[in-house]
């Protein structure tokens, strides 16, 4: 009796396996990270592959709705012995943030008045914003700054207070750095999560930041995360661009075109 | 000035463009522009007022000034009064009923094509339910030809989209081969390059052309670079089948894309002159999408769906092989969720078809939109029923270069199976020769021989 049961279960299993048509091109998987050779059941995607996809999408969705870990960041960033400002954009909720990009680019009133106490001039303002994935900055911002801030201090660059911004978009850095009277801004922000990269952080660099700038005035270093551009090379690239920008007094498209070191 | 009174409230709409915007079904992009109706009642009041506007009004009251915008000039100057004649006495509301009536068949719809303006199609779509948009689009037939025939009734094609984040030739080839074996690629094998470098684009063009010639595949290729890059490559003798460009519905939008009608004329003539088509000479591939005018800050206060329809005026000037509305790519500030994406896709497909365009749709979403695979399945099925010419085919729905989700090779097979749709006839013949039955999707021994050959080519 027991044998029959086991036999039946094995039989069911084999039957199940055999209805998944193997993909003849498994050998091509080595050439691309694309989801090729996933087989089929009928004309559909086999369950295992579909659930892998669904899990990746869940990670991306959760990243969009993740929140900046203010407590954790305040705690880790205090080693730099800089004042830390906690700011908020005009987008009062994630829903507003997603539907009104203009709100995410403006500081709210209270934050604007906070800046007034810190408007002594500085070389660089570092701004950490949640963007489309707070997870990305929660996991990558400190690790990057741990390498980057000592480099700046060695280069005798004066830093503004560190800013943490909730519901912020890239351009909010212009208003903040302008308010802090900084010559240069670095916005570390969570990028739109991809299916395999919910933790990807971007660094947007702007020389002479001021309200009203658009993307062509900035340089972007993308995909900063352990499985992408790792923290050390990211910090090196940022330092290189900061030095070049100060030398040529410009950032954005023109700087990028001349920067042979950037890969 | 247009108005409608509901109970004691008089809703006034200053001009046609305001009326169109207020009558538009709710979407976040129009809220962001500030042209959207402020209440449900105002929206329906606008729709009721719009129903009474004569179609003729659209020829006299342009929504973006003739002097300021070359798309407006194109629309007005190319209007065909003769084709318009049979519908010239209708209002927008009567036009909706006329489109749905039993008497209005495929041939009649074809006969009014040149007499309909984009704004007329946008207007009437705003009075229609999703069901209406499907029912009328289904009656239209727009077939185009290059090395095969796309858009015949009962047929349904796919663009094979084998993108790779670094344009790696082997990576692209691997996805391309897989797609072909899944019966994908009869509309085009089209790569979005990660860079617009002419040298890279040239290599990609050569790659697809080599595979196509080696296996004698009756399809066409395209690398979706900027039109100026394509022109440069044509002059260098690159194997360019189709010339691609993204287009928008206002002159200012197109300037932000670095194009205008004169440049499109030049590229069209250059591509035609290569005479690479075998069964026809539709050589252009356009992509559009609601929201691009707002994104370029070039909307003139016109709602995003009407802007989108105006882009189709450009498309039809060049008798394209394919027009693709990349509906869900733009993000939630324009189309927030599955409901808005589905509605927009059905509108685009309907308006394009009514204007005589070979419409396909990139059924897609980004991870910050409120949408998922279920929404895409719904839209896929609706568009299949509506007679959409083509969709995208991407390994496992996951575009690893553009970082968004579109339709998979499997999705297209599902649709062909449940609706009994077939690939382009010439392509289907080729599939059968390789041992691939594209309807029930079975494959035979010949397939292994084919795979052996292509794999050898790759390694």
């Amino acid at each position: 009796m027991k044998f029959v049961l086991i036999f039946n279960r094995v039989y069911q299993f084999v039957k199940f396996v055999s209805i998944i048509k193997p993909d003849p091109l498994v050998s091509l998987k080595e050439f691309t990270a694309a989801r090729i050779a996933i087989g089929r059941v009928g004309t559909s995607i086999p369950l295992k592959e579909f659930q892998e996809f669904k899990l990746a999408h869940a990670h991306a969705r959760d990243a969009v709705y993740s929140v900046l870990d203010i407590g954790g960041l305040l705690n880790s960033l205090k080693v730099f012995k800089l004042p830390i400002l906690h700011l908020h954009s005009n987008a009062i909720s994630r829903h507003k943030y997603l539907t009104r990009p203009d709100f995410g680019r403006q500081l709210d009133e209270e934050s604007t008045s906070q800046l007034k106490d810190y408007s002594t001039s500085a070389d660089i303002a570092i701004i950490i914003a949640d963007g489309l994935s707070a997870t990305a900055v929660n996991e990558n911002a400190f690790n990057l700054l741990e390498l980057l801030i000592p480099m700046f201090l060695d280069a005798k660059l004066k830093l503004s207070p560190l800013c943490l911004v909730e519901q912020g978009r890239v351009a909010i850095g212009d208003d903040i750095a302008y308010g802090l009277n900084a010559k240069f801004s670095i916005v570390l922000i969570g990028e739109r999560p991809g299916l395999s990269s919910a933790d990807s952080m971007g660094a947007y660099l702007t020389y002479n930041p001021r309200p009203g700038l658009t993307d062509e005035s900035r340089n972007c270093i993308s995909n900063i995360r352990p499985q992408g551009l790792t923290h050390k090379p990211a910090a090196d690239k940022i330092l290189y661009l900061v030095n070049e920008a100060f030398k040529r007094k410009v950032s954005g498209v023109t700087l990028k075109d001349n920067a042979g070191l950037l890969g | 000035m247009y108005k409608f009174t509901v109970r004691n409230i008089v809703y006034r709409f200053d001009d046609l463009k305001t009326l169109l915007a207020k009558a538009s079904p709710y979407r976040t992009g129009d809220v962001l522009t500030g042209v959207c109706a402020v209440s449900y009642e105002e929206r329906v009041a606008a729709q009721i007022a719009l129903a009474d506007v004569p179609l003729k009004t659209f020829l006299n009251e342009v929504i973006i000034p003739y002097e300021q915008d070359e798309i407006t000039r194109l629309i007005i100057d190319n209007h065909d009064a003769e084709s318009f004649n049979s519908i010239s006495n209708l209002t927008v509301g009567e036009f909706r009923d006329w489109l749905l009536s039993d008497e209005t068949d495929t041939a009649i719809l074809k006969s009014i094509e040149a007499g309909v303006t984009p704004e007329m199609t946008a207007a009437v779509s705003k009075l229609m339910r999703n069901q209406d948009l499907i029912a009328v689009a289904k009656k239209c037939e727009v077939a185009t030809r290059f090395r095969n025939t796309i858009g015949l009734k009962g047929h349904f094609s796919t663009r094979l989209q084998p993108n790779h984040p670094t344009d790696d030739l082997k990576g692209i080839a691997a996805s391309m081969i897989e797609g072909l074996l899944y019966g994908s690629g009869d509309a085009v094998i089209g790569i979005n390059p990660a860079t617009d470098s002419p040298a890279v684009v040239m290599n990609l063009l050569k790659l697809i052309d080599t595979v196509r010639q080696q296996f004698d595949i009756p399809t066409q290729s395209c690398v979706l670079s900027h039109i100026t890059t394509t022109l440069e490559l044509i002059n260098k003798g690159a194997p360019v089948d189709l010339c691609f460009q993204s287009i928008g519905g206002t002159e200012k939008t197109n300037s932000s894309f670095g194009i205008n009608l004169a440049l499109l004329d030049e590229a069209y003539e250059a591509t035609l002159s290569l005479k690479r088509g075998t069964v026809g000479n539709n050589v252009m591939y356009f992509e559009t999408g609601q929201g691009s005018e707002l994104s370029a800050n070039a909307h003139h206060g016109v709602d995003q769906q009407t802007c989108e329809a105006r882009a189709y005026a450009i498309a039809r000037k060049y008798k394209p092989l394919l027009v693709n509305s990349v509906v869900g790519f733009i993000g939630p500030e324009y189309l927030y969720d599955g409901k808005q994406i589905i509605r927009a896709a059905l509108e685009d497909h309907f308006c394009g078809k009514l204007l005589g365009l070979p419409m396909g749709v990139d059924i897609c979403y980004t991870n910050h939109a409120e949408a998922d695979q279920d929404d895409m399945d719904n839209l896929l099925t609706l568009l299949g029923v509506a007679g959409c010419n083509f969709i995208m085919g991407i390994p496992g729905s996951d575009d690893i270069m553009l970082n968004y989700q579109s339709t998979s090779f499997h999705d297209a097979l599902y649709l062909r199976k449940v609706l009994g749709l077939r690939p382009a006839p010439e392509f289907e013949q080729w599939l059968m020769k390789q041992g691939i039955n594209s309807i029930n999707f079975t494959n035979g021994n010949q397939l292994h021989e084919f795979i052996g050959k292509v794999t050898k080519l790759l390694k």
Side-chain angles (χ1 to χ4, degrees):
Chain A
M1 192 61 199
K2 211 174 166 193
F3 172 79
V4 173
L5 258 176
I6 293 170
F7 175 82
N8 268 342
R9 285 183 64 180
V10 171
Y11 175 75
Q12 287 300 327
F13 179 73
V14 171
K15 204 173 117 192
F16 179 72
V17 168
S18 68
I19 63 173
I20 299 176
K21 300 289 182 289
D23 204 297
L25 292 180
V26 175
S27 68
L28 296 186
K29 268 188 174 239
E30 63 178 287
F31 297 115
T32 177
R35 291 170 197 259
I36 60 167
I38 56 179
R40 60 184 179 86
V41 275
T43 54
S44 300
I45 293 175
L47 184 67
K48 184 173 159 287
E49 279 71 17
F50 167 58
Q51 289 190 327
E52 270 173 24
F53 175 100
K54 206 168 180 184
L55 188 59
H57 186 238
H59 291 150
R61 294 296 292 155
D62 285 341
V64 170
Y65 286 93
S66 60
V67 293
L68 214 50
D69 176 16
I70 299 291
L73 285 165
L74 285 174
N75 195 41
S76 55
L77 295 173
K78 70 184 178 204
V79 300
F80 302 123
K81 300 193 167 39
L82 289 163
I84 303 173
L85 307 183
H86 178 190
L87 309 171
H88 203 289
S89 79
N90 260 334
I92 53 165
S93 64
R94 191 80 318 206
H95 180 264
K96 270 281 176 258
Y97 178 87
L98 290 172
T99 53
R100 295 296 302 262
D102 47 338
F103 290 174
R105 296 186 198 111
Q106 308 154 357
L107 272 184
D108 69 6
E109 240 173 78
E110 200 191 317
S111 300
T112 309
S113 65
Q114 260 198 76
L115 294 183
K116 286 186 184 127
D117 302 332
Y118 296 92
S119 63
T120 52
S121 70
D123 295 307
I124 298 176
I126 297 172
I127 295 140
I128 299 167
D130 44 10
L132 281 167
S133 167
T135 303
V137 289
N138 289 342
E139 291 177 5
N140 294 293
F142 174 74
N143 294 335
L144 178 74
L145 291 177
E146 197 180 21
L147 301 168
L148 196 56
I149 288 183
M151 291 177 178
F152 288 156
L153 297 178
D154 284 350
K156 304 272 179 281
L157 292 164
K158 190 184 166 202
L159 301 180
S160 299
L162 297 172
C163 297
L164 303 178
V165 192
E166 288 185 275
Q167 308 292 1
R169 292 204 182 243
V170 171
I172 204 166
D174 296 336
D175 291 35
I176 296 172
Y178 186 76
L180 293 172
N181 206 3
K183 293 187 188 104
F184 194 91
S185 71
I186 298 176
V187 178
L188 303 179
I189 189 165
E191 299 183 314
R192 192 181 89 195
L195 273 195
S196 53
S197 54
D199 59 341
S200 178
M201 183 175 79
Y204 287 81
L205 316 183
T206 313
Y207 182 80
N208 190 17
R210 56 199 185 280
L213 292 180
T214 51
D215 287 344
E216 63 266 24
S217 316
R218 316 180 201 290
N219 293 90
C220 172
I221 294 169
S222 184
N223 197 27
I224 302 172
R225 60 192 182 103
Q227 288 77 32
L229 178 65
T230 52
H231 300 117
K232 180 68 172 86
D236 289 341
K237 275 191 181 186
I238 293 173
L239 183 70
Y240 168 79
L241 279 169
V242 169
N243 285 333
E244 287 297 302
F246 273 98
K247 214 185 293 169
R248 299 187 214 172
K249 302 193 187 312
V250 71
S251 62
V253 183
T254 34
L255 182 59
K256 198 180 232 166
D257 285 348
N258 299 322
L261 274 183
L262 284 178
Chain B
M1 161 79 127
Y2 304 87
K3 62 180 179 180
F4 186 74
T5 306
V6 185
R7 281 172 263 175
N8 287 323
I9 303 168
V10 184
Y11 288 98
R12 292 192 167 79
F13 310 100
D14 287 345
D15 50 23
L16 196 52
K17 112 180 146 181
T18 308
L19 182 65
L20 287 168
K22 299 279 189 184
S24 212
Y26 177 83
R27 66 207 60 197
T28 42
D30 290 338
V31 180
L32 190 55
T33 319
V35 299
C36 180
V38 296
S39 67
Y40 286 92
E41 189 173 83
E42 188 188 27
R43 180 170 298 109
V44 178
Q47 289 168 351
I48 295 171
L50 180 59
D52 286 340
V53 175
L55 289 181
K56 274 183 188 149
T57 305
F58 290 85
L59 301 174
N60 304 321
E61 187 184 343
V62 295
I63 57 166
I64 299 174
Y66 186 89
E67 300 73 24
Q68 286 175 23
D69 189 283
E70 66 175 358
I71 317 305
T72 302
R73 294 197 287 279
L74 177 69
I75 292 167
I76 297 299
D77 297 349
N78 283 11
H79 183 254
D80 182 346
E82 203 177 312
S83 305
F84 184 60
N85 201 32
S86 63
I87 53 170
S88 62
N89 290 324
L90 302 181
T91 61
V92 178
E94 289 164 348
F95 187 39
R96 180 263 182 195
D97 290 346
W98 181 86
L99 287 169
L100 285 162
S101 70
D102 291 333
E103 291 72 28
T104 304
D105 59 15
T106 307
I108 291 177
L109 286 171
K110 181 68 69 192
S111 75
I112 61 152
E113 234 170 59
V116 180
T117 68
E119 288 86 349
M120 292 177 198
T121 65
V124 74
S125 78
K126 294 175 198 299
L127 309 184
M128 296 165 81
R129 289 166 51 188
N130 286 1
Q131 179 187 115
D132 304 343
L133 297 172
I134 293 169
V136 177
K138 172 100 183 160
K139 291 200 262 187
C140 299
E141 183 179 50
V142 183
T144 53
R145 292 170 180 86
F146 191 78
R147 285 197 193 94
N148 57 21
T149 311
I150 301 159
L152 295 171
K153 283 196 179 189
H155 294 259
F156 167 74
S157 300
T158 52
R159 164 189 163 190
L160 171 47
Q161 184 173 313
N163 296 343
H164 188 277
T166 59
D167 293 329
D168 181 76
L169 292 181
K170 286 187 175 179
I172 285 173
S175 292
M176 186 165 86
I177 293 160
E178 158 113 341
L180 287 168
L181 295 179
Y182 274 86
S184 182
D186 50 343
V188 62
I189 300 173
I191 303 168
N192 296 88
T195 149
D196 213 58
S197 144
V200 171
V201 176
M202 177 72 107
N203 282 338
L204 294 175
L205 282 168
K206 284 182 178 164
L207 168 74
I208 320 177
D209 205 54
T210 306
V211 173
R212 180 188 65 77
Q213 293 207 40
Q214 173 129 2
F215 299 103
D216 201 18
I217 311 171
T219 189
Q220 35 284 331
S221 63
C222 186
V223 176
L224 285 71
S225 54
H226 192 265
I227 199 164
T228 49
T229 307
T230 308
L231 253 175
E232 187 185 326
L233 289 169
I234 289 176
N235 293 331
K236 284 185 182 153
V240 172
D241 287 346
L242 304 183
C243 176
F244 166 81
Q245 184 55 46
S246 289
I247 52 172
T250 70
E251 183 177 333
K252 261 174 84 180
T253 308
N254 290 318
S255 333
S256 83
F257 293 163
I259 59 159
N260 55 37
L261 293 178
L263 184 60
L264 286 167
D265 285 342
E266 187 189 341
Y268 176 56
E269 292 303 330
T271 316
L272 266 184
S273 73
L274 300 177
K275 296 194 168 61
R276 291 172 61 86
T278 50
V279 298
N281 225 356
N282 299 112
V283 297
M284 300 299 281
Y285 173 13
F286 292 114
E287 283 191 352
T288 65
Q290 290 189 26
S292 56
E293 296 78 10
L294 171 56
S295 169
N297 197 22
H299 53 77
H300 297 264
V302 177
D303 71 87
Q304 69 183 32
Q305 190 249 334
T306 304
C307 282
E308 167 75 8
R310 284 169 54 93
Y312 303 155
I314 304 176
R316 71 172 170 177
K317 179 168 195 259
Y318 302 102
K319 305 178 180 63
L321 183 77
L322 309 161
V323 177
N324 178 20
S325 166
V326 191
V327 67
F329 189 70
I330 193 153
E333 62 267 44
Y334 303 90
L335 295 168
Y336 187 68
D337 55 13
K339 182 179 171 74
Q340 292 183 20
I341 293 171
I342 288 169
R343 171 77 200 179
L346 294 176
E347 290 166 348
D348 295 351
H349 178 253
F350 161 81
C351 289
K353 282 281 172 75
L354 203 54
L355 291 164
L357 290 173
M359 291 305 292
V361 176
D362 190 343
I363 298 166
C364 63
Y365 64 105
T366 57
N367 288 326
H368 61 323
E370 290 290 326
D372 61 19
Q373 292 300 106
D374 291 334
D375 296 302
M376 298 304 108
D377 288 344
N378 291 348
L379 180 53
L380 170 67
T381 310
L382 295 175
L383 283 168
V385 173
C388 182
N389 284 26
F390 68 101
I391 61 166
M392 308 308 111
I394 292 168
S397 287
D398 178 7
D399 188 310
I400 57 170
M401 198 286 278
L402 293 171
N403 267 321
Y404 77 126
Q405 286 89 255
S406 181
T407 40
S408 63
F409 302 140
H410 299 71
D411 288 334
L413 295 177
Y414 146 79
L415 202 67
R416 281 177 183 162
K417 188 151 107 179
V418 295
L419 295 177
L421 299 170
R422 319 179 77 91
E426 301 85 347
F427 192 80
E428 187 174 24
Q429 287 298 313
W430 178 82
L431 285 174
M432 278 158 67
K433 232 163 56 190
Q434 310 311 319
I436 303 168
N437 179 329
S438 55
I439 296 287
N440 297 317
F441 202 70
T442 52
N443 39 50
N445 287 336
Q446 302 98 308
L447 184 64
H448 294 283
E449 199 183 318
F450 174 70
I451 294 166
K453 276 192 226 159
V454 286
T455 310
K456 215 160 110 195
L457 188 77
L458 190 63
K459 298 203 169 171

